[in-house]
Amino acid sequence: MYVGMMCTAKKCGIRFQPPAIILIYESEIKGKIRQRIMPVRNFSKFSDCTRAAEQLKNNPRHKSYLEQVSLRQLEKLFSFLRGYLSGQSLAETMEQIRRETTIDPEEDLNKLDDKELAKRKSIMDELFEKNQKKKDDPNFVYDIEVEFPQDDQLQSCGWDTESADEF
Amino acid sequence: MAEDRTKPSELDQGKYADDNVKIICLGDSAVGKSKLMERFLMDSFQPQQLSTYALTLYKHTAMVDGKTILVDFWDTAGQERFQSMRASYYHKAHACIMVFDVQRKVTYKNLSTWYTELREFRPEIPCIVVANKIDADINVTQKSFNFAKKFSLPLYFVSAADGTNVVKLFNDAIRLAVSYKQNSQDFMDEIFQELENFKLEQEEEDVPDQEQSGSIETPSEEAASPHS
C-alpha cells in the first residue's frame, strides 16, 4: 500500500533492451538515492506514445513515483523507444522529436492539411494556455489597453527587406 | 460606445438594429484569428461553423454613437485550398482585420499577399494590421514593422492570451466599418446599396418580415458562392 510516499525525482530515462522506464529518485525518509525500473510491456513501433505515457503515469504501482515526471517527458522517452524499435538512429529520432515539438517559424502553415495543422496548433496552444488570463482569474480585466507608440527611433523588426520600396 | 455588448440571442437581431456591418478577419493559418474573436466576445459568442467553406461566422451587437449595430464577423481559414472561395468572404465587407503572428516571420511576409487580394476585391475599406501573440515576446512592441507604414495602415500590438488591446482592436474596427458604410464613395458599394433598397422595397410589398429571418443564409445567397 502507498503510504504518503515522499520522493523527489532526480532523473528519468529509458532502457531499450529489455524496454523499461527508469527513474532515479531520492527517498526523503532516509535521503537515499534509489532506482526504480518500470518495465514497458506491449509496446511496438506502431504504438501511440501519448497513450503509453498516460498509462504508465496512471499505473497504480508507479503513479506515486511519477508524480513529478511530466507526461510530456514520458511521451518523449516512449518516442525514443519507438524510434529504436523502427530502426532509426538516435540522431534521427531526436530530429523527429524536435520537429514534432517545436514550430518552424519559416514553415508556411497555409499549405498543411487539417491534421498537420492541428498538430502545430496544439504545440502553440501550450504557450497560449500558459500565458492565458482567464475570465475566472481573480484579477481578470476584460478591456486592457496598452499603448506601444511606433515612432521613428524604433529598431527594425528585421523582417523587412533592405530596400525602401519593399517592406 | 461599442463596449455595450448584448447577447445576440436576446435580440431579434435585424428588427432593432439601426444598421449592420460585415468585418472580415484575414491572415495565415494559426496566427490566432479565432482566438482573438473568442477573447473579444467571451461567453456571448455562438459561432456558426460553415466548415465546407472554412468559415466561422460570429454575430455581435454593438452600440456606436447611440445606435445599435449588428456586426457579422467573418473568420476565415488561412489554408490555401480554400482560396477559390475567398471572393465571397470579401463581398460587401466594411472593414478588415489582418493578423500576423509575431513569432513567425512567414506570416508577416504573407501579409502582402493577403493585402493584394483584399484590395483586388475591396479597394477602399479600412484595414487594421494586427501583430498578435506579443505575450510570447514583448520586445517586438519596441520594433518597427514597415508593412503597416508602407500602406499607411494602423498597427495594433495585441495578445489573445492575456487580452492586451483585443477589445480596443475590435471596437475600433466596428467604428471604422460603420463610418465606412455611411461615407463610402466606392462605386460598387453604391450599386449594392441601390440593389439592396430595390430588394427591400419589393419584399415590403410581398412578405414584410421575411428579410430579417435566416440572415445566416444571406451571404451565400448574395455572394458569389462556390455553388453558383
Side-chain angles (χ1 to χ4, degrees):
Chain A
M1 255 317 268
Y2 162 80
V3 263
M5 251 299 295
M6 303 277 266
C7 94
T8 313
K10 291 285 180 195
K11 280 181 193 171
C12 190
I14 188 141
R15 184 179 72 196
F16 292 155
Q17 206 44 263
I21 298 279
I22 299 177
L23 175 75
I24 311 283
Y25 66 96
E26 191 182 308
S27 93
E28 279 184 15
I29 306 160
K30 290 180 182 164
K32 265 191 183 167
I33 299 292
R34 293 174 150 269
Q35 173 176 289
R36 184 173 181 84
I37 298 174
M38 294 161 273
V40 175
R41 299 192 178 92
N42 305 320
F43 188 88
S44 78
K45 63 178 174 181
F46 303 112
S47 296
D48 182 330
C49 296
T50 313
R51 263 191 75 189
E54 279 166 1
Q55 273 168 6
L56 186 72
K57 210 167 157 52
N58 294 325
N59 184 311
R61 290 180 47 225
H62 306 311
K63 212 175 163 173
S64 54
Y65 294 90
L66 292 174
E67 245 164 44
Q68 295 171 325
V69 183
S70 71
L71 197 64
R72 192 149 281 271
Q73 188 182 352
L74 290 174
E75 215 179 310
K76 202 169 160 185
L77 294 174
F78 278 106
S79 301
F80 277 115
L81 179 60
R82 194 177 59 182
Y84 168 78
L85 293 171
S86 349
Q88 283 179 338
S89 73
L90 198 59
E92 281 169 337
T93 307
M94 291 199 27
E95 173 57 21
Q96 194 185 345
I97 292 172
R98 196 197 55 77
R99 267 204 317 271
E100 284 171 1
T101 52
T102 53
I103 295 291
D104 172 2
E106 303 281 336
E107 185 182 33
D108 190 337
L109 303 186
N110 297 336
K111 297 188 189 322
L112 300 183
D113 60 33
D114 291 347
K115 199 180 158 207
E116 285 301 308
L117 181 60
K119 273 193 206 165
R120 306 297 190 285
K121 282 188 175 176
S122 87
I123 299 170
M124 294 184 202
D125 278 349
E126 235 179 280
L127 182 69
F128 178 84
E129 278 156 26
K130 200 179 132 229
N131 292 346
Q132 190 179 19
K133 296 246 182 349
K134 292 205 188 91
K135 189 187 77 203
D136 27 343
D137 290 348
N139 48 4
F140 176 83
V141 180
Y142 174 63
D143 186 0
I144 309 166
E145 290 185 21
V146 184
E147 271 197 55
F148 301 107
Q150 284 269 301
D151 50 41
D152 292 335
Q153 277 98 60
L154 292 179
Q155 196 196 337
S156 160
C157 65
W159 292 349
D160 297 303
T161 42
E162 292 303 307
S163 85
D165 290 340
E166 275 182 88
F167 79 94
Chain B
M1 292 302 278
E3 290 92 74
D4 297 317
R5 300 174 324 129
T6 324
K7 278 184 186 157
S9 59
E10 287 170 5
L11 273 176
D12 185 346
Q13 298 189 327
K15 260 184 194 162
Y16 303 105
D18 293 308
D19 213 341
N20 60 315
V21 291
K22 169 178 170 181
I23 298 175
I24 50 175
C25 287
L26 298 180
D28 279 16
S29 296
V31 293
K33 299 184 291 293
S34 308
K35 288 220 160 51
L36 287 168
M37 286 294 343
E38 284 161 21
R39 176 55 178 76
F40 173 62
L41 299 173
M42 302 301 293
D43 285 341
S44 70
F45 81 94
Q46 301 151 319
Q48 317 208 24
Q49 294 264 353
L50 302 170
S51 57
T52 18
Y53 307 106
L55 165 70
T56 313
L57 256 179
Y58 299 83
K59 294 206 172 259
H60 172 68
T61 312
M63 291 291 281
V64 177
D65 300 331
K67 284 184 176 162
T68 316
I69 307 292
L70 192 65
V71 189
D72 279 341
F73 288 108
W74 289 50
D75 177 15
T76 59
Q79 285 154 288
E80 271 177 7
R81 65 197 160 95
F82 299 117
Q83 201 161 12
S84 59
M85 300 163 187
R86 293 236 180 88
S88 52
Y89 296 164
Y90 295 108
H91 185 73
K92 290 170 81 176
H94 301 105
C96 170
I97 291 171
M98 213 165 64
V99 189
F100 73 98
D101 173 350
V102 297
Q103 297 233 282
R104 293 188 291 131
K105 179 181 174 179
V106 63
T107 68
Y108 177 70
K109 286 309 211 183
N110 281 342
L111 287 181
S112 64
T113 316
W114 287 110
Y115 193 67
T116 309
E117 199 176 280
L118 169 72
R119 287 308 179 216
E120 205 177 294
F121 292 98
R122 304 297 283 149
E124 305 283 345
I125 64 168
C127 175
I128 298 178
V129 179
V130 177
N132 188 26
K133 310 195 190 178
I134 59 164
D135 56 280
D137 178 11
I138 195 70
N139 293 327
V140 297
T141 59
Q142 301 300 311
K143 294 187 175 155
S144 72
F145 290 84
N146 272 346
F147 177 81
K149 229 178 272 169
K150 184 184 166 189
F151 297 102
S152 313
L153 303 171
L155 172 68
Y156 284 49
F157 287 104
V158 312
S159 160
D162 67 26
T164 306
N165 291 335
V166 175
V167 176
K168 180 178 168 50
L169 162 69
F170 282 97
N171 285 337
D172 289 357
I174 294 168
R175 288 187 161 277
L176 287 171
V178 170
S179 108
Y180 173 81
K181 197 179 178 185
Q182 283 163 356
N183 308 311
S184 170
Q185 300 292 310
D186 188 286
F187 175 64
M188 285 308 282
D189 287 336
E190 285 179 35
I191 291 179
F192 284 137
Q193 196 56 54
E194 284 303 310
L195 286 172
E196 213 162 66
N197 293 341
F198 181 66
K199 202 173 134 199
L200 276 174
E201 279 165 26
Q202 270 198 329
E203 275 172 15
E204 270 166 28
E205 283 168 26
D206 306 340
V207 241
D209 284 333
Q210 287 290 304
E211 164 72 7
Q212 315 299 353
S213 63
S215 55
I216 189 76
E217 257 88 53
T218 325
S220 52
E221 257 175 39
E222 293 180 3
S225 92
H227 289 310
S228 56

